[in-house]
Amino acid sequence: MIAVLTHLLREVLTMRFSFVFLFLMSAFGALTYNAGAQQAVVTSPNQKIAVSCITPARQDDGLWSLKIDYKKGDRITQAIPAIELGLVLNGMDFSLGLRLVKVTKPVVITDKYAVPHGKKLERNNSANQVTMSFENRSKKKLNVIVRAYNDGVTFRYELDEKQGNYIVNDELTAYSITPETNRWLEKWNPANEGLYVNMSNDKVRQDEWCYPALFSTRDSSCWFLLHESDVNKNYCGTKLSNTAEKSKYKLTFPNPKDGRGTGEPLPAVTLPWRSPWRVIIMGSLADVVGSTLVDDVAAPSKVANTDWIKPGLVSWNYWSDNHGTRDFKTVCAFADLAAAMGWPYTLLDWEWDAMTNGGNLQDALKYIHSRGVKPLMWYNSGGDHTWVGATPKDRMLTHENRVAEFKRLKEWGVKGVKIDFFESEKQSMIQYYLDILEDAASFEIMVYFHGCIVPRGWARTYPHLMTYEAVRGAEWYNNGPEFTTSAPEHNTILPFTRNIVGAMDYTPVTFTNSQFPHITSYGHEMALSVLFESGLQHLADRPEGYYGLPDAARHFLRNVPVAWHDLKLLDGYPGKDVTLARKRDHSWYIGGISSEGREKRKNIKLDFLEQGVKYRLTLITDGKHDKELITAYSVVDNKASINVKMLRRGGFVAVVTPL
């Protein structure tokens, strides 16, 4: 044992990445520490990520914190120098004067599970976990559970007393970020539909910010994304704020004015209690894009039988005609579009209860079913939390109303609901979201949230939650001229930010213009069908936009999957360009776009293909102008590469299928 300890000490002194504390705990079991104890460290299974618990400089008036280091090769990057910890409840203060009294022996967490839709249908992740127990001046206990995964770090608070009811007045979690760290943040708005701003050094703004937030360290060897997961009925959603201190992003509770002032902004908790997971996805940019960590730490599925959950493409009449569902003939035209393209669904958006011009709702449902297409229907979330009066407004609001409506929808053959205008992340609204999901599961109704929260891992727990909006999507071409110029750059940021943490219904792939025009090429629009992942992918253009495409492009959009077995980031940088490959069964679909105002060429290596296998490549690229597409066919293997020309704000798609 003396020889082992001597070797470990030598490792620490020579700045190697083997952290002594983890091995000591493995050898001796749980340890108890006094106020002057050394820092505790837990490392990821691949030894690339280390989380240290740091003693405050002044024990009586300082906050404990976590520090995260990242190792690539021989280089160690201090990714996050401090994450301050603490909670303040009415009657219990876990901020100042805490004492670390115990650190558990590390436990290996391994999780394998399958999902019916998402960026990876089979999930597998593992972590090393420790629980750090603190005691406040009143001898009350607070546990901090920390996990180090190969693709990031998660931690949560735990109060394990058997009973008690409290209000959480503040959560003190705060991420310190060095000024030179590059960052992409979206200013807070209740619908999560803003644009991302890229900042560093003296350009860093002070404000409240949405999740997720992307950061790149100075040497670009380490990227990380801040988010949260497993938000349940016992807490509220949070956001990030650096208004008090420019370099510190503190978790903050909802604004009291959100949801028109309905609901309490401070969460009420009943002991025993655990907070949501605080999630830091970390690694190379490709590691961050490929991570499923937000889902991995969410609660397992509560739906035993998922055979009825069917992801798919959807025709949608709202983008091209704001009042499309009010017109029976328009509804029929979009049902015909879905049938012609082989898409399983069409959405009846708002105003289905005011349908005229040849038929009503029942006529429309009958016609849709006659075309072999399945209907989805829109609902207002209702209640005083939203000012929007669009009807029907009360049918999702209570358990009794939902049960009655879901029963009708089941009888009518409606497969899913789109529920809109939530406008708050207060605890009462979180409870409302989850009540809807629980009732919908009882009637095998799929759910799509719109005007809503960013994903928090719920699609694992409730796999019939197919997608969320929570993004500035193509609908914004109808809201003013701004999106025409901002969309190309915005589209290249979303695969690195919002879409990492869960399904995102941008309503992509539009070739004609709505109220305000595109400046993206047809190739760019085609690529969004691969770049953007959504369990229900609403393709938003009018029928002639798809009927007028060349045969190869139309065939591609008939068959592009919406649920995937794997993905790889092949190239890209937020705000400039992105190329992603997604795998379905044995085929790979590739999409790439550029935001730049000049023509550019990309050389895409196919070394991710299986060795020794020949593949048929169909490549659809920009033509001579932005409304032309060119198709080329070839046979390739994993030694080949694709040379692609993209017009300004252009793009391309490809499908690679084994011969």
Side-chain angles (χ1 to χ4, degrees), residues 34 41 46 52 69 107 151 244 258 270 314 333 409 416 419 432 445 528 560 573 616:
N34 58 31
V41 181
N46 65 5
S52 309
D69 295 304
V107 176
D151 57 344
D258 290 349
T270 299
V314 189
L409 296 180
I419 307 176
Y432 181 33
I445 299 290
L528 302 184
V560 62
Y573 190 86
R616 174 182 172 86

Side-chain angles (χ1 to χ4, degrees), residues 289-528:
V289 170
S291 174
T292 59
L293 188 55
V294 172
D295 287 345
D296 296 341
V297 296
S301 176
K302 294 185 177 183
V303 180
N305 173 29
T306 60
D307 292 344
W308 54 276
I309 301 170
K310 304 291 186 183
L313 293 160
V314 189
S315 67
W316 184 51
N317 63 44
Y318 176 82
W319 182 83
S320 58
D321 185 341
N322 287 355
H323 299 282
T325 305
R326 192 168 63 186
D327 188 306
F328 173 74
K329 289 185 170 56
T330 299
V331 169
C332 292
F334 277 82
D336 292 342
L337 170 65
M341 295 295 290
W343 303 339
Y345 304 107
T346 190
L347 174 67
L348 302 179
D349 216 296
W350 73 308
E351 297 184 311
W352 52 257
D353 57 341
M355 196 181 304
T356 59
N357 195 25
N360 59 21
L361 174 63
Q362 292 304 317
D363 297 319
L365 292 174
K366 182 178 180 180
Y367 184 83
I368 291 166
H369 285 301
S370 76
R371 302 293 284 127
V373 177
K374 303 176 185 67
L376 311 173
M377 287 173 56
W378 175 95
Y379 287 85
N380 191 333
S381 66
D384 293 335
H385 62 268
T386 175
W387 58 267
V388 180
T391 58
K393 190 168 181 177
D394 62 345
R395 299 191 192 181
M396 293 294 126
L397 197 55
T398 68
H399 170 71
E400 292 75 19
N401 288 358
R402 287 191 296 273
V403 167
E405 192 69 2
F406 289 152
K407 183 179 179 181
R408 279 192 291 268
L409 296 180
K410 182 83 170 176
E411 292 170 352
W412 295 345
V414 175
K415 298 301 181 181
V417 291
K418 171 183 176 179
I419 307 176
D420 208 345
F421 305 125
F422 289 89
E423 302 178 24
S424 165
E425 298 183 6
K426 297 174 183 176
Q427 185 176 19
S428 58
M429 190 59 67
I430 299 298
Q431 294 167 348
Y432 181 33
Y433 277 114
L434 300 181
D435 287 343
I436 290 171
L437 290 170
E438 289 167 1
D439 288 341
S442 299
F443 292 88
E444 298 187 345
I445 299 290
M446 297 183 293
V447 177
Y448 162 25
F449 289 136
H450 198 265
C452 63
I453 194 169
V454 168
R456 299 303 209 276
W458 295 344
R460 179 183 180 186
T461 312
Y462 303 97
H464 57 298
L465 174 52
M466 307 303 290
T467 192
Y468 311 65
E469 187 191 27
V471 66
R472 180 164 293 198
E475 184 179 344
W476 278 77
Y477 283 114
N478 291 341
N479 295 343
E482 166 270 322
F483 200 56
T484 295
T485 54
S486 62
E489 179 179 345
H490 181 62
N491 293 349
T492 66
I493 295 174
L494 294 176
F496 300 107
T497 51
R498 164 63 180 85
N499 211 187
I500 288 176
V501 303
M504 178 185 79
D505 195 42
Y506 176 104
T507 60
V509 192
T510 54
F511 305 101
T512 66
N513 288 325
S514 186
Q515 295 184 42
F516 295 91
H518 299 72
I519 55 172
T520 53
S521 76
Y522 275 25
H524 185 117
E525 291 296 316
M526 287 284 296
L528 302 184

